[in-house]
Amino acid sequence: MFNTFLFKRVDNSPLVIFRIFLGILISLECYGAILTGWVRRTMIEPAFTFSFIGFEWLQPLPGSGMYIYFFIMGTLGIFIALGFKYRLSIISFTLLWTAVYLMQKTSYNNHYYLLVLISLIMCFFPANRAYSLDARAKPQIRNESMYSYVKWIIVLQLFIVYTYAALAKLYADWLDFSFVGILMQSKAHYWLIGDLLQEYWVHTFISVMGIFFDLLIVPALLWKPSRKIAFAFAIFFHLFNSFVFQIGIFPYLALAFTVFFFEPETIRRIFFKNKPITEPSKFNIPKYRNLFLLGFGIYFTVQLILPVRHHFIKDDVLWTEEGHRLSWRMMLRSRSGIISFKVVNNDNGNIINVNLNDYLTKKQKTRIASYPDFIWQFAQHLKEIYSEDGADISVYVNSRVRVNGSKLKPFIDPEVDLGAERWDHFKHHNWILPSKETKAK
């Protein structure tokens, strides 16, 4: 039964059209990053780049190198859409995009991470077997079917994303609708709907629907009687997000995934009317079955564990940010803060109050004011700079942070030398002050 579920041959139209959609969206993302100035602002102008901790060796290319880098990725997107040298193109893009993702986090967005995962998964799928330049050049690889596990891997990945996104919203500031109100404050200038977005009933609607949409959209798309209604809701939901929050290709990538929820024959009739009909009853177990089950078993185990790791780290993730990334905690908080850095030369007692304008861009300063990993990384950077002549350097931070419009509270222990601290991805850092004040005994 299990083998039949995974290894039945079905029409590969959903995979083929998704490959085309994915390639187009990749091109729009990468070329758009150049044209809108994102590459310049994020990868070229900063004198110091905040990479993911542990990947400091990944740095932007010098000069105009990152323009070429993103142009290559955009071109690979075209190759993917056309099915030209597909395997080489998708693997190359996955490596290049993953490097960009790890290279900087100042402009972090969950869809960057999702694109890493989906591109990785697509490396293993035979998405170029039909309607591709590869199949035209090598007719022997042409095939009109795919294993049914292709669909279920995508569905399971989306189920994880949406379910964790829904569960993450079950906290006070979302449930009392106050956080959505904070989100909408910056949208008041929008033409036609700006004033509407400030209404309390709109905040209530968005909060409630956000939870129910994330929780139910995958099951509703899978169930045939509710599929069309769910698809209509998905179109509205993602287009609304695209217009209001302007989050790049993510809403359109999410809509592209829906092709896997419709019957393959339906997708074939819509997009590939002349495509031969695949016999759905054909079934065989591939030789790589055990390797496949092991590989994707490990992959999905990691995907299930990462989003819950913050429950095993001391204090509230909403305050500490420890365990926030890679957890599908999307649009859940607003953070701001005030911060200052003090460099102390322990050899001669000299104290330097650091001017952040000398080192960071405007956006980097907003991040460093309230995110602990940014604070720690910059402290390490300052220590490296000021200890170049062999001096014994300490770095201290005075920081206050507000979350979701709350009052400013002390965030970093000002007595701790952050230059001497180590970073641990899976443990709490005691130099982050508690989210709740403790009464002295």
Coordinates of all heavy atoms in Angstrom, one line a residue, residues 53 310 313-325 335 339 367-377 397-403 409-418 421-438:
I53 N 25.8 33.2 11.2 CA 26.9 32.9 12.1 C 27.5 31.5 11.7 O 26.7 30.5 11.7 CB 26.6 33.0 13.6 CG1 26.2 34.4 13.9 CG2 27.7 32.5 14.5 CD1 25.6 34.6 15.3
H310 N 13.0 26.3 19.5 CA 13.0 27.4 20.5 C 12.2 27.1 21.8 O 12.4 27.7 22.8 CB 12.3 28.7 19.8 CG 10.8 28.5 19.5 ND1 9.9 28.8 20.5 CD2 10.2 28.1 18.4 CE1 8.7 28.5 19.9 NE2 8.8 28.2 18.7
I313 N 14.8 26.2 24.4 CA 15.8 27.3 24.7 C 15.1 28.2 25.7 O 13.9 28.6 25.5 CB 16.2 28.0 23.4 CG1 16.8 27.1 22.4 CG2 17.1 29.2 23.8 CD1 17.2 27.8 21.1
K314 N 15.8 28.6 26.7 CA 15.3 29.4 27.8 C 14.7 30.7 27.3 O 15.2 31.3 26.4 CB 16.4 29.6 28.8 CG 16.0 30.4 30.0 CD 17.2 30.6 30.9 CE 16.9 31.5 32.1 NZ 18.1 31.7 33.0
D315 N 13.6 31.1 28.0 CA 12.9 32.4 27.7 C 12.1 32.3 26.5 O 12.0 31.3 25.8 CB 13.9 33.5 27.7 CG 13.3 34.8 28.3 OD1 12.1 35.0 28.2 OD2 14.1 35.6 28.8
D316 N 11.5 33.5 26.2 CA 10.5 33.6 25.1 C 11.2 34.0 23.8 O 11.9 35.0 23.7 CB 9.5 34.7 25.5 CG 8.3 34.8 24.5 OD1 8.4 34.1 23.4 OD2 7.4 35.6 24.7
V317 N 11.0 33.2 22.8 CA 11.6 33.5 21.5 C 11.2 34.8 20.9 O 12.0 35.5 20.2 CB 11.3 32.4 20.4 CG1 9.8 32.3 20.2 CG2 12.0 32.6 19.1
L318 N 10.1 35.3 21.3 CA 9.6 36.6 20.8 C 10.5 37.7 21.4 O 10.7 38.8 20.7 CB 8.2 36.9 21.3 CG 7.4 38.0 20.6 CD1 7.2 37.7 19.2 CD2 6.1 38.3 21.3
W319 N 11.2 37.5 22.5 CA 12.1 38.4 23.1 C 13.5 38.2 22.7 O 14.2 39.0 22.3 CB 11.9 38.4 24.6 CG 12.9 39.2 25.4 CD1 14.0 38.7 26.1 CD2 13.0 40.6 25.5 NE1 14.7 39.8 26.7 CE2 14.1 41.0 26.3 CE3 12.2 41.7 25.0 CZ2 14.5 42.3 26.6 CZ3 12.6 43.0 25.3 CH2 13.7 43.3 26.1
T320 N 13.9 36.9 22.9 CA 15.4 36.6 22.6 C 15.7 36.4 21.2 O 16.9 36.5 20.8 CB 15.7 35.3 23.4 OG1 15.1 34.2 22.8 CG2 15.3 35.4 24.9
E321 N 14.7 36.1 20.3 CA 15.0 35.7 18.9 C 15.7 34.4 18.7 O 16.0 34.0 17.6 CB 15.8 36.9 18.2 CG 14.9 38.1 18.0 CD 13.9 37.9 16.8 OE1 14.3 37.5 15.8 OE2 12.8 38.3 17.1
E322 N 16.1 33.7 19.8 CA 16.8 32.5 19.7 C 15.9 31.4 19.2 O 15.0 31.0 19.9 CB 17.4 32.1 21.0 CG 18.5 33.2 21.5 CD 18.9 33.0 22.9 OE1 18.0 32.8 23.8 OE2 20.1 33.1 23.2
G323 N 16.2 30.8 18.0 CA 15.4 29.8 17.4 C 14.3 30.4 16.5 O 13.4 29.6 16.1
H324 N 14.4 31.6 16.2 CA 13.3 32.3 15.4 C 13.5 31.9 13.9 O 12.5 31.5 13.3 CB 13.4 33.8 15.5 CG 12.4 34.5 14.6 ND1 11.1 34.8 15.0 CD2 12.6 35.0 13.4 CE1 10.5 35.4 14.0 NE2 11.4 35.5 13.0
R325 N 14.7 32.0 13.4 CA 14.9 31.8 11.9 C 14.7 30.3 11.6 O 14.9 29.4 12.5 CB 16.2 32.3 11.5 CG 16.3 33.8 11.5 CD 17.6 34.3 10.8 NE 17.7 35.8 11.0 CZ 18.4 36.3 12.0 NH1 19.0 35.6 12.9 NH2 18.5 37.6 12.1
R335 N 10.2 44.8 16.0 CA 11.2 45.1 17.0 C 11.9 46.4 16.6 O 12.1 46.8 15.5 CB 12.3 44.0 16.9 CG 11.8 42.6 17.3 CD 12.9 41.6 17.3 NE 13.9 41.8 18.3 CZ 13.8 41.2 19.5 NH1 12.8 40.4 19.8 NH2 14.8 41.4 20.4
I339 N 20.7 51.5 20.9 CA 21.9 50.7 21.3 C 23.2 51.6 21.2 O 23.2 52.5 20.3 CB 22.1 49.5 20.4 CG1 23.1 48.5 20.9 CG2 22.4 49.8 18.9 CD1 23.1 47.1 20.3
R367 N 18.7 46.8 12.4 CA 18.8 45.4 12.8 C 19.6 45.3 14.1 O 19.2 44.5 15.0 CB 19.4 44.6 11.7 CG 18.6 44.6 10.4 CD 17.3 43.8 10.6 NE 16.6 43.6 9.3 CZ 15.4 43.1 9.2 NH1 14.7 42.8 10.3 NH2 14.8 43.0 8.1
I368 N 20.8 45.9 14.1 CA 21.7 45.8 15.2 C 21.1 46.3 16.5 O 21.5 45.9 17.6 CB 23.0 46.4 14.9 CG1 24.1 45.8 15.7 CG2 23.0 47.9 15.1 CD1 25.5 46.2 15.3
A369 N 20.2 47.2 16.4 CA 19.6 47.8 17.6 C 18.8 46.8 18.4 O 18.5 47.1 19.6 CB 18.7 49.0 17.2
S370 N 18.3 45.7 17.8 CA 17.4 44.9 18.5 C 17.5 43.4 18.3 O 16.7 42.6 18.8 CB 15.9 45.3 18.2 OG 15.7 45.3 16.8
Y371 N 18.5 42.9 17.5 CA 18.6 41.5 17.3 C 19.9 41.0 17.9 O 21.0 41.5 17.5 CB 18.6 41.2 15.8 CG 17.2 41.5 15.2 CD1 16.9 42.7 14.7 CD2 16.3 40.4 15.0 CE1 15.6 43.0 14.2 CE2 15.1 40.7 14.5 CZ 14.7 41.9 14.0 OH 13.5 42.2 13.5
P372 N 19.9 40.0 18.8 CA 21.1 39.6 19.5 C 22.2 39.1 18.7 O 23.4 39.3 19.0 CB 20.5 38.6 20.5 CG 19.3 38.0 19.9 CD 18.7 39.2 19.2
D373 N 21.9 38.3 17.6 CA 23.0 37.8 16.8 C 23.7 38.9 16.0 O 24.9 38.8 15.9 CB 22.5 36.7 15.8 CG 21.3 37.2 15.0 OD1 20.6 38.1 15.4 OD2 21.1 36.6 13.9
F374 N 23.0 39.9 15.6 CA 23.6 41.1 15.0 C 24.5 41.8 16.0 O 25.6 42.2 15.7 CB 22.6 42.1 14.5 CG 21.9 41.6 13.2 CD1 20.9 40.7 13.1 CD2 22.3 42.2 12.0 CE1 20.3 40.3 12.0 CE2 21.7 41.9 10.8 CZ 20.7 40.9 10.8
I375 N 24.0 42.0 17.2 CA 24.8 42.6 18.2 C 26.1 41.9 18.5 O 27.2 42.5 18.6 CB 23.9 42.8 19.5 CG1 22.7 43.7 19.3 CG2 24.8 43.3 20.7 CD1 21.7 43.7 20.4
W376 N 26.0 40.6 18.7 CA 27.2 39.8 19.0 C 28.2 39.8 17.8 O 29.4 40.0 18.1 CB 26.7 38.3 19.3 CG 27.9 37.4 19.5 CD1 28.5 37.2 20.7 CD2 28.6 36.6 18.6 NE1 29.5 36.3 20.6 CE2 29.6 35.9 19.3 CE3 28.5 36.4 17.2 CZ2 30.5 35.0 18.7 CZ3 29.3 35.5 16.6 CH2 30.3 34.8 17.3
Q377 N 27.7 39.7 16.6 CA 28.6 39.7 15.4 C 29.3 41.0 15.3 O 30.5 41.1 15.0 CB 27.8 39.4 14.2 CG 27.5 38.0 13.9 CD 26.7 37.8 12.6 OE1 25.5 38.1 12.6 NE2 27.3 37.2 11.6
V397 N 28.0 46.6 25.6 CA 26.8 47.1 24.9 C 25.8 47.6 25.9 O 25.5 47.0 26.9 CB 26.2 46.0 24.0 CG1 24.8 46.4 23.5 CG2 27.1 45.6 22.9
N398 N 25.2 48.7 25.6 CA 24.1 49.2 26.3 C 22.9 49.2 25.3 O 22.9 50.0 24.3 CB 24.4 50.7 26.8 CG 23.4 51.1 27.9 OD1 22.2 50.9 27.7 ND2 23.9 51.6 29.0
S399 N 21.9 48.5 25.6 CA 20.8 48.2 24.7 C 19.5 48.2 25.4 O 19.3 47.6 26.4 CB 21.1 46.9 23.9 OG 20.0 46.6 23.1
R400 N 18.5 48.8 24.7 CA 17.1 48.7 25.1 C 16.2 48.4 23.9 O 16.5 49.0 22.8 CB 16.6 50.0 25.8 CG 17.2 50.3 27.2 CD 16.6 51.5 27.8 NE 17.0 52.7 27.1 CZ 16.3 53.9 27.2 NH1 15.2 53.9 28.0 NH2 16.7 54.9 26.5
V401 N 15.3 47.5 24.1 CA 14.5 47.0 23.0 C 13.0 47.1 23.3 O 12.6 46.8 24.5 CB 14.9 45.6 22.6 CG1 13.9 44.9 21.7 CG2 16.3 45.6 22.0
R402 N 12.2 47.4 22.3 CA 10.7 47.2 22.4 C 10.3 46.2 21.4 O 10.7 46.2 20.2 CB 10.0 48.5 22.2 CG 10.1 49.2 20.9 CD 9.0 50.2 20.7 NE 9.0 51.2 21.8 CZ 9.6 52.3 21.8 NH1 10.4 52.7 20.8 NH2 9.5 53.2 22.8
V403 N 9.3 45.4 21.8 CA 8.7 44.3 20.9 C 7.2 44.6 20.8 O 6.5 44.8 21.8 CB 9.0 42.9 21.5 CG1 8.3 41.9 20.6 CG2 10.5 42.6 21.6
K409 N 12.8 48.1 27.0 CA 13.4 47.4 28.2 C 14.8 47.1 28.0 O 15.2 46.8 26.8 CB 12.5 46.2 28.5 CG 11.1 46.4 28.8 CD 10.5 45.1 29.4 CE 10.5 44.0 28.4 NZ 9.9 42.8 29.0
P410 N 15.6 47.0 29.0 CA 17.0 46.6 28.8 C 17.1 45.2 28.2 O 16.4 44.3 28.6 CB 17.5 46.6 30.3 CG 16.7 47.5 31.0 CD 15.3 47.4 30.4
F411 N 18.0 45.1 27.2 CA 18.1 43.9 26.4 C 19.4 43.1 26.6 O 19.3 41.9 26.8 CB 17.9 44.2 24.9 CG 17.8 43.1 24.0 CD1 16.9 42.0 24.3 CD2 18.6 43.0 22.9 CE1 16.8 40.9 23.4 CE2 18.5 41.9 22.0 CZ 17.6 40.9 22.3
I412 N 20.5 43.8 26.6 CA 21.8 43.2 26.7 C 22.4 43.6 28.1 O 22.4 44.7 28.5 CB 22.7 43.6 25.6 CG1 22.1 43.2 24.2 CG2 24.1 42.9 25.7 CD1 21.8 41.7 24.0
D413 N 23.0 42.6 28.7 CA 23.7 42.9 30.0 C 24.9 43.8 29.7 O 25.9 43.4 29.1 CB 24.2 41.6 30.6 CG 24.7 41.7 32.0 OD1 25.1 42.9 32.4 OD2 24.8 40.7 32.8
P414 N 24.9 45.0 30.3 CA 26.0 46.0 30.0 C 27.3 45.6 30.6 O 28.3 46.2 30.3 CB 25.4 47.3 30.5 CG 24.5 46.9 31.6 CD 23.9 45.6 31.1
E415 N 27.3 44.7 31.6 CA 28.5 44.3 32.3 C 29.2 43.1 31.6 O 30.3 42.8 32.0 CB 28.1 43.9 33.7 CG 27.4 44.9 34.5 CD 28.2 46.2 34.7 OE1 29.5 46.0 34.9 OE2 27.6 47.3 34.6
V416 N 28.7 42.6 30.6 CA 29.3 41.4 29.9 C 30.1 41.9 28.7 O 29.7 42.7 27.9 CB 28.2 40.4 29.4 CG1 28.8 39.3 28.6 CG2 27.5 39.8 30.6
D417 N 31.3 41.4 28.6 CA 32.2 41.6 27.5 C 31.8 40.7 26.3 O 32.1 39.5 26.3 CB 33.7 41.4 27.9 CG 34.6 41.5 26.7 OD1 34.2 42.0 25.6 OD2 35.8 41.0 26.9
L418 N 31.0 41.3 25.4 CA 30.5 40.5 24.3 C 31.7 40.0 23.4 O 31.5 39.0 22.7 CB 29.5 41.2 23.5 CG 28.1 41.4 24.1 CD1 27.2 42.0 23.1 CD2 27.6 40.2 24.7
E421 N 32.5 36.5 24.4 CA 31.5 35.5 24.5 C 31.5 34.7 23.2 O 31.9 35.1 22.1 CB 30.1 36.2 24.6 CG 29.9 36.8 26.0 CD 29.9 35.9 27.1 OE1 29.2 34.8 27.0 OE2 30.5 36.2 28.2
R422 N 31.0 33.4 23.3 CA 30.8 32.6 22.2 C 29.4 32.5 21.8 O 28.5 32.7 22.6 CB 31.4 31.2 22.5 CG 32.9 31.1 22.6 CD 33.4 29.7 22.8 NE 34.8 29.6 22.9 CZ 35.6 29.4 21.8 NH1 35.0 29.4 20.6 NH2 36.9 29.4 22.0
W423 N 29.1 32.1 20.5 CA 27.7 32.0 20.1 C 27.4 30.5 20.0 O 28.2 29.7 19.5 CB 27.5 32.6 18.7 CG 26.1 32.6 18.2 CD1 25.5 31.6 17.4 CD2 25.1 33.5 18.6 NE1 24.2 31.9 17.3 CE2 23.9 33.0 18.0 CE3 25.0 34.7 19.4 CZ2 22.7 33.7 18.1 CZ3 23.8 35.3 19.5 CH2 22.7 34.9 18.9
D424 N 26.2 30.2 20.4 CA 25.7 28.8 20.4 C 24.3 28.8 19.7 O 23.4 29.5 20.2 CB 25.6 28.2 21.8 CG 25.4 26.7 21.7 OD1 24.5 26.2 20.9 OD2 26.1 25.9 22.4
H425 N 24.2 28.1 18.6 CA 22.9 28.1 17.8 C 21.7 27.5 18.6 O 20.6 27.7 18.2 CB 23.1 27.4 16.5 CG 24.0 28.2 15.5 ND1 23.5 29.2 14.8 CD2 25.3 28.0 15.2 CE1 24.5 29.7 14.1 NE2 25.6 29.0 14.3
F426 N 22.0 26.6 19.6 CA 21.0 25.8 20.2 C 20.8 26.1 21.7 O 20.1 25.3 22.3 CB 21.2 24.4 19.9 CG 21.2 24.0 18.4 CD1 22.4 23.9 17.7 CD2 20.0 23.9 17.7 CE1 22.4 23.6 16.4 CE2 20.0 23.6 16.4 CZ 21.2 23.4 15.7
K427 N 21.5 27.1 22.2 CA 21.4 27.4 23.6 C 21.1 28.8 23.9 O 21.4 29.7 23.0 CB 22.7 27.0 24.4 CG 22.9 25.5 24.4 CD 24.2 25.1 25.2 CE 24.5 23.6 25.2 NZ 25.7 23.3 25.9
H428 N 20.6 29.1 25.1 CA 20.3 30.5 25.5 C 21.6 31.2 25.8 O 22.5 30.6 26.4 CB 19.4 30.5 26.6 CG 19.1 31.9 27.2 ND1 18.5 32.9 26.5 CD2 19.4 32.4 28.4 CE1 18.4 34.0 27.2 NE2 19.0 33.7 28.4
H429 N 21.7 32.5 25.5 CA 22.8 33.3 25.9 C 22.5 34.1 27.1 O 21.6 35.0 27.0 CB 23.3 34.1 24.7 CG 23.6 33.3 23.5 ND1 22.7 32.9 22.6 CD2 24.8 32.8 23.1 CE1 23.3 32.2 21.6 NE2 24.6 32.1 21.9
N430 N 23.2 33.9 28.2 CA 22.8 34.6 29.4 C 23.0 36.1 29.4 O 22.5 36.8 30.3 CB 23.5 34.0 30.6 CG 23.1 32.6 30.9 OD1 21.9 32.3 30.8 ND2 24.0 31.7 31.3
W431 N 23.8 36.6 28.4 CA 23.9 38.1 28.3 C 22.7 38.8 27.7 O 22.6 40.0 27.7 CB 25.2 38.4 27.6 CG 25.4 37.6 26.3 CD1 26.2 36.5 26.2 CD2 24.9 37.9 25.0 NE1 26.2 36.1 24.9 CE2 25.5 36.9 24.1 CE3 24.1 38.9 24.5 CZ2 25.2 36.9 22.8 CZ3 23.8 38.9 23.1 CH2 24.3 37.9 22.3
I432 N 21.7 37.9 27.2 CA 20.4 38.5 26.9 C 19.6 38.6 28.1 O 19.4 37.5 28.8 CB 19.7 37.6 25.8 CG1 20.6 37.5 24.5 CG2 18.4 38.2 25.5 CD1 20.0 36.6 23.5
L433 N 19.2 39.7 28.6 CA 18.5 39.9 29.8 C 17.1 39.2 29.7 O 16.5 39.1 28.6 CB 18.4 41.4 30.2 CG 19.7 42.1 30.4 CD1 19.5 43.6 30.6 CD2 20.4 41.5 31.7
P434 N 16.5 38.8 30.8 CA 15.2 38.1 30.8 C 14.1 39.0 30.3 O 14.1 40.2 30.4 CB 15.0 37.8 32.3 CG 16.4 37.8 32.9 CD 17.1 38.9 32.2
S435 N 13.2 38.3 29.7 CA 12.0 39.1 29.1 C 11.1 39.6 30.2 O 10.5 40.6 30.0 CB 11.2 38.1 28.2 OG 10.8 37.0 28.9
K436 N 11.1 38.9 31.3 CA 10.3 39.4 32.5 C 11.3 39.7 33.6 O 12.2 39.0 33.9 CB 9.3 38.4 32.9 CG 8.3 38.1 31.8 CD 7.3 37.0 32.3 CE 6.3 36.7 31.2 NZ 5.3 35.7 31.6
E437 N 11.0 40.8 34.3 CA 11.8 41.2 35.4 C 11.6 40.3 36.6 O 10.5 39.8 36.9 CB 11.5 42.6 35.9 CG 11.8 43.7 34.8 CD 11.4 45.1 35.3 OE1 11.0 45.2 36.5 OE2 11.5 46.1 34.5
T438 N 12.7 39.9 37.2 CA 12.6 39.0 38.3 C 12.8 39.8 39.6 O 13.6 40.7 39.7 CB 13.8 37.9 38.3 OG1 15.0 38.6 38.2 CG2 13.6 37.0 37.1

